[in-house]
Amino acid sequence: MALTGRTALLAAIGSLPVGILAPSWTGMLAVNAPLSLAILCDYALAAPVRTLQFTRSGDTSVRLGEAAAVELMVGNPSRRRLRAHVRDAWPPSSWRDGSKEAASRHEVTVPAGERRRLTTRLRPSRRGDRQADRVTVRSFGPLGLAARQGSHRVPWTVRVLPPFTSRKHLPSRLARLRELDGRTSVLTRGEGTEFDSLREYVPGDDTRSIDWRATARQSSVAVRTWRPERDRHILLVLDTGRTSAGRVGDVPRLDAAMDAALLLTALASRAGDRVDLLAYDRRVRARVQGRAAGDVLPAMVAAMATLEPELVETDARALGAAALTGAPRRSLIVLLTSLDAAPVEEGLLPVLPQLTQRHTVVVASVADPHVQEMARSRGSARAVYEAAAGAQAQAQRRTVAEQLQRHGVTVVDATPENLAPALADAYLELKAAGRL
C-alpha cells in the first residue's frame, strides 16, 4: 500500500542518507510537513557529488619548514550549481600545528559545466613523502537545509626535503677555500697538494719552497706555491642505527648529521672533489655515487628526504666493509655516528685499522648541550647529582674521542647548530695540511 501525505514525507526523509540534515532540524520533522517537503526538495536540487571531476597540480617538493601549495581543480559536469564544503585531507604532519589543518577546508561554488581552483597550503613538520588522502565534498541545496556527501581519491605526493639550515655558513667557508686554492699563496706541501705557480720571495716565506733553477734564470728569488689537489674522493657515511634516533633538543641526531653532510657536500663539490653518500645500519638505506659536481647536492637532498632512523644496532663490521667497497682508492671517509662508549668500543674500534690503513677518517658526532648545562648545575642536592651525571657523560665522550684519535682519526664533537660548520672547518684544515 502506497504512503501518502505526511506519512510519505516522513518515510522519504527517513530514507535520506544519515548526516545530510542539520542536527537542529531533526526534532522538527515529525510535526512540520512543509519543512520536511522543503528539505526533500533542497536535497533533490543539490548538485551530485559522484560525477564531480578533480585534477591536481602544484608543488611536488618543499624544504622542511617552508610552505608548499597544492592546487585542486573541481569540475562540475552536472546541470546544477554546486554549493559545497570541500575537505582536502592530508596527514596531520602536513602542518606544523595540528590546528592549522583547517587550511585544508574550503567553501566553493561552481556553476553548471564550469571549474574552480582550490589551493591547499601545506607546511610539513617532518621530512619524507606526504601523500594526499581523500577529497570529501558536501554539496548543499539552494536553501542549505540538506546536502549530499561523498569522497574521491585524488592522488598527489609532496616530498619534504631536509631544510639545509647550515647553508648560511657556506659563503664564509668558500672564502677560506679560495685562499687555499692558490689565490692566496699556500706554502705547506703534503701528499694532498700540487704545484701551482712561482712568485717572488718575500721575508717570512719558507726557504724550502725556493725554486733555485727559476731563481738562476732571473734577478730575484722565486718560490713555489702549492694548492690543494682537486678530484679527491670523499665518502660520507650516515649511521642510521638506533643511536641516530635520539633527539637533541627538538631535532633527531640523524637530521643534524644530514645537515652537516649537506654543507660538506656543497663545500667539497665547489673544491672540485667528488662526494658520495652511504646510509647504513644493518643494510644500505640510501646511496649516492658517481654524481657530477652540479648534480651531487640535489641527489643527496633527495636521498636523505625519506631516511628515518632504524631501531636496530648498527653492524659496524658490515658498515666498515661497505665503506671500503665504496672507497676503492685513497679517500676521506666521514663517519657521522655517535660517540657513545659501547657502540664505539664494541663496534667501531675493531674495524678502524682497516679504514685508517688506506684512508683518512673523520668521525663526526652530535653533542647534547643539555649535558653541558647539567655539568654546570649547582645550588641544590638534585643539581649536584645532575652535575655529577653530566660530568661523567662528558668524561666518557672525551675518553672515546681520545681512543679514536690514537688510531689516527680526526674527531668532530659539536652541538647540532655547530656540527656542520665544525665539520666543514675540519675538512678545510685537512686540505690545508695536505692530508686530503
Side-chain angles (χ1 to χ4, degrees), residues 233-239 257-266 268 274-280 286-288 296-297 300 304 319 323 326-327 331-336 362 364 423 427:
H233 181 236
I234 301 172
L235 177 62
L236 303 176
V237 182
L238 282 174
D239 180 357
M258 287 180 183
D259 196 49
L262 290 176
L263 179 62
L264 182 56
T265 299
R274 297 183 297 106
V275 187
D276 293 339
L277 171 71
L278 174 67
Y280 197 94
R287 188 192 296 272
V288 176
V296 63
L297 188 60
M300 292 273 190
M304 292 177 182
L319 184 149
S331 307
L332 171 64
I333 297 179
V334 180
L335 178 57
L336 294 117
V362 174
L423 181 58
Y427 164 77

Side-chain angles (χ1 to χ4, degrees), residues 42-299:
D42 201 45
Y43 176 77
L45 293 174
V49 173
R50 292 183 179 180
T51 59
L52 294 177
Q53 300 170 349
F54 298 91
T55 56
R56 287 194 186 273
S57 61
D59 295 330
T60 56
S61 64
V62 63
R63 289 194 181 277
L64 182 64
E66 298 179 358
V70 179
E71 296 180 344
L72 179 69
M73 187 69 73
V74 183
N76 178 20
S78 71
R79 297 180 179 181
R80 304 170 195 165
R81 177 182 290 269
L82 174 68
R83 306 169 183 86
H85 292 171
V86 178
R87 181 175 184 265
D88 186 7
W90 291 77
S93 58
S94 299
W95 292 272
R96 285 190 173 275
D97 184 351
S99 64
K100 292 184 179 179
E101 193 176 348
S104 65
R105 301 178 185 272
H106 310 274
E107 293 186 12
V108 64
T109 299
V110 185
E114 296 187 13
R115 300 185 301 170
R116 293 292 184 270
R117 179 182 286 107
L118 305 177
T119 301
T120 300
R121 299 195 178 277
L122 311 178
R123 191 176 290 273
S125 59
R126 294 174 55 190
R127 287 182 296 100
D129 290 339
R130 297 293 168 266
Q131 297 180 346
D133 199 358
R134 293 170 296 178
V135 174
T136 301
V137 181
R138 181 170 292 179
S139 172
F140 290 91
L143 300 178
L145 300 178
R148 304 171 186 264
Q149 181 168 309
S151 297
H152 294 256
R153 293 281 183 179
V154 189
W156 194 260
T157 300
V158 175
R159 173 157 291 188
V160 186
L161 307 174
F164 193 14
T165 55
S166 63
R167 62 181 177 272
K168 62 186 177 184
H169 299 290
L170 186 58
S172 61
R173 271 60 189 182
L174 287 176
R176 290 186 56 188
L177 179 64
R178 286 192 292 269
E179 294 179 358
L180 296 178
D181 202 24
R183 301 185 184 184
T184 298
S185 299
V186 178
L187 297 179
T188 302
R189 186 181 181 185
E191 61 183 351
T193 56
E194 60 185 6
F195 174 71
D196 180 36
S197 61
L198 294 172
R199 64 168 176 81
E200 187 176 347
Y201 175 87
V202 296
D205 285 342
D206 190 341
T207 56
R208 292 173 297 180
S209 296
I210 296 176
D211 189 316
W212 295 107
R213 290 187 178 181
T215 299
R217 294 194 299 268
Q218 58 188 35
S219 58
S220 60
V221 179
V223 295
R224 295 179 179 180
T225 62
W226 309 88
R227 68 176 182 182
E229 287 187 17
R230 292 178 174 271
D231 197 31
R232 311 302 284 178
H233 181 236
I234 301 172
L235 177 62
L236 303 176
V237 182
L238 282 174
D239 180 357
T240 56
R242 65 170 185 84
T243 57
S244 68
R247 301 183 74 86
V248 179
D250 197 33
V251 179
R253 293 179 185 271
L254 180 59
D255 286 43
M258 287 180 183
D259 196 49
L262 290 176
L263 179 62
L264 182 56
T265 299
L267 180 62
S269 60
R270 297 284 187 92
D273 293 333
R274 297 183 297 106
V275 187
D276 293 339
L277 171 71
L278 174 67
Y280 197 94
D281 42 71
R282 288 187 172 273
R283 63 181 180 87
V284 176
R285 300 291 177 177
R287 188 192 296 272
V288 176
Q289 193 171 16
R291 296 301 183 102
D295 299 331
V296 63
L297 188 60

Side-chain angles (χ1 to χ4, degrees), residues 309-325:
E310 301 292 332
L311 299 182
V312 297
E313 197 72 41
T314 299
D315 186 344
R317 294 184 182 275
L319 184 149
L324 289 172
T325 302

